[in-house]
Amino acid sequence: MFPRLHFAVCFTAVLGPTLVHTLCPDTADGYKVRLSIKTALGDDAYKWDESEMFLFRATLAFAMRKYNQKPYEVSDVLVCNETQRVSFWFVVTDPENTSELISGKDVERAVRISRNRINNAFLLTDETLEFLNIPPTLAVPAESGTPPWLIVFGVVIGVVGVGIIALLISSFIQKRRKKGVTEGEEEDCEEEACDKGNGVSHPVEEGADGVNRGFVGDIPFTKL
Amino acid sequence: MPFLSRTCERPKWDNKIQYLLTCIGFAVGLGNVWRFPYLCQIYGGGAFLIPYLIALVFEGLPLLYLELAIGQRLRMGSIGVWNSISPYLGGVGMASMVVSFLVGMFYNTILAWVLWYFFHSFQNPLPWRSCPVFNLTGKSVEECELSSPVNYFWYRETLNITPNIETSGSLQWWLVICLATAWCIVYVCFIRGIETIGKAAYITATFPYLVLTIFLVRALTLPGAMTGLKYLFTPQWEILKNPRVWLDAATQIFFSLSLAFGGLIAFSKVNCLIQDAIIVGCINSATSIYASIPIFAILGFKANSNYEDCLNNNILSLTNAFNMGDQNITIENYETWLTYLNTSDPTKVANLHLKVCDLQTFLDQSASGTGLAFIVFTEAVIKMPGSQVWSVLFFIMLFTLGLSSMFGNLEGVLTPLLDLKLVPTCIPKEIFTGFMCLVYFIFSFIFALGSGNYWLEIFNSYVGSVPLLVIAFFEITAVSYVYGINRFSDDIEWMTGRRPNIFWQANWRVISPLMLLVVLLAYVVIQAMQELTYSAWNPNYVDFPMYEVLPYPGWVCAICVLLSTVPCILIPLVALYRFVHFLKKRVERLRAPSFYENEGYVSDM
């Protein structure tokens, strides 16, 4: 049932010379095309019918013309093995000699040059309109000289470096100023009997009545 | 009256909000946003919350209250405090210092990673949005195609990770300069002093909550978020049998409240937080849970989109092979179609090598480990409008959270060194701090190697776990049984006006030490029998992008054991040293007793 349907489709799809059986699909010079219209367009998907196929063949003829300026016609693009998927094989014949096929490499180059136009004719993208074995052409990404992150890094490390130097200098200057004052303070400490418990020096806390507050903490525990 | 300044007075009404914000700022750190979700994810989400909450109530809060009270009462650094309780326990302070040092090494590496992402947030489009493409062929890097741009950016462009821990790889120069920047910033802020940073803390305390709420709202609107949340909140009871969960829950509490690091005791010398210990502890845990909600929502979204991609790939293969109409097979009817096609043409289906798509596997596998927060939040950021702004804000928030914890860490190392008089007094404090930062920087080169992330996980799991529990155990027993609970309760009554109630007494005396001991013993016994494994990122792995589970080689296992035991060994070593010193003195006194020697003044040192 299925193979016969294929055969019938091939017949009706190709309007042209009866060389279709021998030339298509020629796997050396032919390419398989696969469309995923519903995936691309969802609810706006159009139905794939003969007019769409005609458009495809016309677009491909356009791409070939753009490539080597020969007067390609719609009839030079032969299509076969169409399936429900939608997928099919196509080959391109030479307009001057319809029994000769254009080589696969030329077809590939032509498709790659006009890929964007072909995609747009069908409102599809590189992923949804696949030419198997023809890689998509991508725009060359813009390359900047210095990676931007190094610039940000440079700014941050510059600010931090300046900060460190400024702080070290300012604390050094402050210490120098303090030295004059602290020499007087250290003498005071010796007069008042600094509490040097546990290796940490606290000046003794004195209240207005001259009581040594250093022992206040133990008051609750001193029992008579 | 001057002597009342030693008690903990509650601040007046107009200062209340400022005071609360300081408490909150103190409670929230990197551990809440980075470490808690990563532990939660390892243990399958919901199950981790139970031991976590139990550990909070029975171990975290009692120890927090204890450290704050003892620091406020004895007014000394961590070494001085334990020395004055008993000279034989001086090792506890030293163990805290060693743990602080080891944690500081890897903690700042996380800040270096944050800086790296921050530097990259100033580009349009963000570099982790799409895979890098080879110019001519139009194909993107295979490693990126198989995993995701965000994972690729983390594992390849940030870490340049090696397939296993034995391969060290080379020093990644970009990570070294980020580390240098991070250490310089820490140094600048540290010598400037916490006081000026303290004013900015009012903004930095509320800022994380604002950013997390924004991410939460965005995350909940993503498809698949609910899957993630269900994963977070449904407990898997079997996990509770693994003692490692209980250990990690306790250590997470300690890590995030900075208990057993020594920094809290030093902090409490100056600030009085005893009355609000409970509030601080609870806000901390609530923030951890609040931070994990957007993370798990995004994990759910990631897993869901990975799952759908997997299914869509299978559907495409089937559609192409059987030449069926486009979109005839959808995600909903995939199963029915698969069974039908399998019965009609099984060899053709088998030749397609369809992947098995399981949502649960994707949830477990889509992101885990120390990079979880980075992967998940960068994924969320690219889904928001104005991605660069959110990215910058998020990484500034992470950096400020981590920076305040680094201060505590540095304090925990510097103050004991100064107390032990190991620092010659001729060197000014700034130069010595600079020297310390340089030493830290050089040591953290380990984490800038290709295998650096594996080493960081080792440090995180083995330094930030067992030693903390051992130190905590000794702290509680020291205060409860050597210093005396009654004396301690009297101190607290004098400082705050209220005696601690039966809950605290029961915990300090019995429950906390017992729980810590049980968890430790169970962990040691079970770990000793198991092989230690880790998850590696290996692009050549058969099941890539799944993580490859590899065992640690022998020498790495030895290092793990060393990391866990060296801080703990200090406690008995110091006790032994003091005991030997005591014996020597005893022997000397017996040999030549001096009538003029007044033993009443024999120093405790």
Side-chain angles (χ1 to χ4, degrees):
Chain A
M1 179 44 193
F2 239 46
R4 244 186 251 167
L5 196 62
H6 266 181
F7 199 78
V9 161
C10 277
F11 248 119
T12 50
V14 179
L15 319 158
T18 49
L19 293 160
V20 63
H21 307 296
T22 48
L23 285 175
C24 175
D26 185 329
T27 44
D29 297 319
Y31 286 94
K32 183 166 179 183
V33 179
R34 203 188 275 150
L35 291 100
S36 313
I37 308 171
K38 279 206 200 118
T39 316
L41 300 170
D43 289 331
D44 296 329
Y46 49 80
K47 194 170 173 313
W48 185 262
D49 54 16
E50 288 164 26
S51 338
E52 303 286 346
M53 183 54 90
F54 180 80
L55 178 60
F56 179 80
R57 295 165 68 214
T59 323
L60 215 56
F62 158 78
M64 293 304 302
R65 282 199 185 200
K66 261 246 153 19
Y67 174 62
N68 60 10
Q69 283 81 42
K70 286 195 198 161
Y72 291 91
E73 290 294 331
V74 175
S75 46
D76 290 318
V77 181
L78 309 175
V79 169
C80 57
N81 286 0
E82 206 177 327
T83 66
Q84 248 190 336
R85 170 66 183 81
V86 175
S87 70
F88 48 85
W89 284 87
F90 74 93
V91 288
V92 184
T93 56
D94 197 329
E96 285 133 22
N97 183 359
T98 44
S99 51
E100 287 259 328
L101 287 181
I102 304 288
S103 77
K105 280 240 150 52
D106 288 328
V107 175
E108 178 181 336
R109 280 192 212 118
V111 166
R112 289 192 79 186
I113 289 170
S114 309
R115 187 64 187 269
N116 203 25
R117 301 292 295 272
I118 302 176
N119 285 351
N120 282 332
F122 292 94
L123 308 172
L124 297 173
T125 64
D126 281 348
E127 286 89 41
T128 39
L129 172 56
E130 291 171 81
F131 286 84
L132 296 187
N133 298 323
I134 299 183
T137 33
L138 288 169
V140 177
E143 292 249 349
S144 59
T146 17
W149 75 271
L150 274 178
I151 300 173
V152 183
F153 161 73
V155 168
V156 170
I157 199 87
V159 167
V160 170
V162 165
I164 291 180
I165 295 172
L167 283 172
L168 284 177
I169 292 178
S170 72
S171 63
F172 185 62
I173 293 176
Q174 269 184 352
K175 279 230 172 96
R176 272 239 168 118
R177 278 196 207 136
K178 262 195 186 167
K179 260 196 181 171
V181 182
T182 39
E183 273 160 6
E185 269 184 22
E186 274 176 15
E187 288 164 3
D188 290 345
C189 201
E190 282 174 345
E191 283 171 16
E192 278 187 28
C194 287
D195 171 19
K196 293 216 181 209
N198 288 305
V200 182
S201 176
H202 307 287
V204 171
E205 297 157 6
E206 284 236 349
D209 48 0
V211 176
N212 184 349
R213 302 292 172 197
F215 295 105
V216 156
D218 295 327
I219 286 177
F221 302 106
T222 313
K223 293 194 163 70
L224 292 167
Chain B
M1 294 280 284
F3 81 94
L4 281 176
S5 66
R6 277 191 139 195
T7 58
C8 289
E9 269 183 8
R10 292 215 136 201
K12 299 189 181 53
W13 269 111
D14 48 338
N15 286 338
K16 189 76 173 165
I17 296 183
Q18 287 180 358
Y19 175 70
L20 271 176
L21 282 179
T22 322
C23 283
I24 293 173
F26 173 76
V28 175
L30 213 57
N32 304 76
V33 179
W34 168 76
R35 204 169 186 266
F36 177 81
Y38 132 60
L39 284 177
C40 219
Q41 203 263 344
I42 293 182
Y43 295 114
F48 186 68
L49 288 176
I50 301 162
Y52 180 74
L53 290 171
I54 293 179
L56 172 71
V57 170
F58 292 110
E59 290 171 15
L61 290 177
L63 197 65
L64 178 67
Y65 200 44
L66 189 137
E67 284 202 6
L68 288 174
I70 206 92
Q72 176 63 206
R73 171 69 186 95
L74 294 176
R75 294 252 162 150
M76 283 184 269
S78 68
I79 294 212
V81 156
W82 304 111
N83 267 334
S84 65
I85 290 184
S86 158
Y88 293 108
L89 287 169
V92 175
M94 290 213 235
S96 290
M97 180 180 85
V98 171
V99 167
S100 285
F101 177 72
L102 291 172
V103 169
M105 270 168 66
F106 78 79
Y107 205 76
N108 219 29
T109 313
I110 302 167
L111 290 186
W113 293 338
V114 171
L115 275 181
W116 165 262
Y117 271 89
F118 173 74
F119 295 152
H120 277 84
S121 307
F122 290 94
Q123 286 170 332
N124 185 27
L126 288 171
W128 54 82
R129 177 186 282 280
S130 51
C131 285
V133 171
F134 295 130
N135 264 341
L136 300 173
T137 54
K139 283 204 171 147
S140 41
V141 182
E142 195 191 319
E143 189 182 344
C144 187
E145 283 288 310
L146 287 174
S147 54
S148 76
V150 169
N151 286 35
Y152 176 77
F153 185 77
W154 169 247
Y155 284 108
R156 189 54 50 209
E157 298 199 19
T158 310
L159 298 175
N160 199 14
I161 205 165
T162 53
N164 53 43
I165 199 170
E166 292 104 328
T167 344
S168 297
S170 56
L171 212 57
Q172 320 297 331
W173 63 270
W174 56 89
L175 284 181
V176 173
I177 61 179
C178 287
L179 269 173
T181 320
W183 278 112
C184 286
I185 297 180
V186 168
Y187 178 58
V188 162
C189 295
F190 196 71
I191 56 179
R192 198 71 186 85
I194 307 181
E195 302 82 38
T196 39
I197 308 286
K199 299 255 184 339
Y202 302 148
I203 305 175
T204 56
T206 44
F207 185 57
Y209 287 98
L210 183 67
V211 174
L212 281 174
T213 312
I214 293 171
F215 274 91
L216 176 72
V217 168
R218 181 60 184 118
L220 288 177
T221 57
L222 292 170
M226 284 302 147
T227 334
L229 288 181
K230 256 189 273 164
Y231 181 58
L232 172 65
F233 289 116
T234 38
Q236 289 167 316
W237 304 102
E238 318 83 55
I239 299 269
L240 293 178
K241 289 191 216 134
N242 179 7
R244 178 96 214 186
V245 182
W246 295 91
L247 180 82
D248 276 333
T251 57
Q252 175 55 24
I253 295 277
F254 291 164
F255 200 92
S256 117
L257 287 170
S258 308
L259 301 172
F261 280 90
L264 210 64
I265 298 180
F267 180 81
S268 191
K269 238 168 57 175
V270 184
N271 299 288
C272 191
L273 277 182
I274 307 180
Q275 286 105 327
D276 300 300
I278 302 182
I279 298 180
V280 166
C282 292
I283 290 181
N284 179 64
S285 296
T287 312
S288 291
I289 298 178
Y290 187 63
S292 4
I293 296 180
I295 290 191
F296 275 79
I298 297 168
L299 260 182
F301 160 74
K302 251 179 95 72
N304 200 43
S305 62
N306 282 348
Y307 174 68
E308 284 187 1
D309 283 343
C310 176
L311 279 182
N312 278 330
N313 273 338
N314 286 356
I315 289 174
L316 199 64
S317 314
L318 283 174
T319 319
N320 285 345
F322 288 92
N323 278 322
M324 305 165 58
D326 186 28
Q327 292 291 329
N328 271 6
I329 311 182
T330 58
I331 292 181
E332 288 85 29
N333 57 25
Y334 170 73
E335 287 295 322
T336 33
W337 268 111
L338 187 63
T339 33
Y340 168 69
L341 288 172
N342 229 347
T343 41
S344 61
D345 199 343
T347 39
K348 202 168 183 181
V349 173
N351 281 338
L352 291 173
H353 301 292
L354 296 175
K355 280 191 187 170
V356 176
C357 301
D358 176 32
L359 188 57
Q360 191 60 33
T361 339
F362 282 117
L363 273 171
D364 288 329
Q365 280 278 350
S366 56
S368 80
T370 50
L372 180 70
F374 292 98
I375 293 177
V376 167
F377 280 107
T378 46
E379 179 89 57
V381 149
I382 55 181
K383 302 268 176 291
M384 297 173 164
S387 316
Q388 285 77 10
V389 176
W390 298 121
S391 184
V392 168
L393 277 179
F394 176 71
F395 290 111
I396 290 181
M397 173 195 93
L398 272 190
F399 193 75
T400 47
L401 283 178
L403 199 63
S404 51
S405 309
M406 274 310 295
F407 293 148
N409 230 297
L410 272 182
E411 280 281 355
V413 174
L414 239 69
T415 322
L417 281 178
L418 290 168
D419 281 351
L420 281 175
K421 302 219 177 4
L422 288 173
V423 184
T425 41
C426 55
I427 302 181
K429 190 171 161 232
E430 285 86 4
I431 305 290
F432 182 68
T433 316
F435 174 70
M436 282 289 321
C437 286
L438 190 67
V439 167
Y440 263 121
F441 171 59
I442 294 177
F443 271 109
S444 42
F445 277 10
I446 306 173
F447 306 114
L449 290 172
S451 51
N453 192 37
Y454 301 130
W455 285 108
L456 196 132
E457 281 181 11
I458 288 181
F459 269 70
N460 192 24
S461 313
Y462 294 99
V463 172
S465 62
V466 170
L468 288 182
L469 256 69
V470 170
I471 293 173
F473 175 74
F474 277 101
E475 285 188 1
I476 293 192
T477 42
V479 171
S480 304
Y481 298 106
V482 178
Y483 188 76
I485 278 283
N486 291 324
R487 191 169 157 201
F488 189 58
S489 308
D490 291 336
D491 286 342
I492 294 180
E493 191 176 3
W494 176 66
M495 283 190 289
T496 65
R498 272 180 317 182
R499 223 179 153 71
N501 59 28
I502 187 75
F503 170 75
W504 301 108
Q505 307 258 5
N507 268 310
W508 287 327
R509 279 183 218 260
V510 180
I511 302 181
S512 304
L514 198 65
M515 263 188 81
L516 286 170
L517 201 63
V518 166
V519 169
L520 264 177
L521 286 175
Y523 172 75
V524 168
V525 163
I526 296 213
Q527 272 302 102
M529 299 193 297
Q530 270 177 0
E531 203 182 39
L532 297 171
T533 59
Y534 68 108
S535 302
W537 179 263
N538 184 3
N540 295 323
Y541 183 48
V542 173
D543 284 327
F544 187 78
M546 307 281 202
Y547 295 101
E548 188 181 1
V549 179
L550 295 169
Y552 281 128
W555 60 280
V556 176
C557 282
I559 293 181
C560 297
V561 171
L562 251 147
L563 282 174
S564 293
T565 50
V566 161
C568 311
I569 285 278
L570 281 173
I571 303 177
L573 269 180
V574 168
L576 198 68
Y577 170 76
R578 293 276 158 79
F579 188 61
V580 164
H581 192 69
F582 169 75
L583 283 180
K584 256 173 53 179
K585 274 250 160 102
R586 250 280 162 80
V587 168
E588 276 173 20
R589 216 172 300 137
L590 286 175
R591 275 203 209 134
S594 160
F595 290 103
Y596 299 103
E597 210 179 80
N598 188 344
E599 283 166 26
Y601 290 98
V602 166
S603 104
D604 286 322
M605 292 299 286

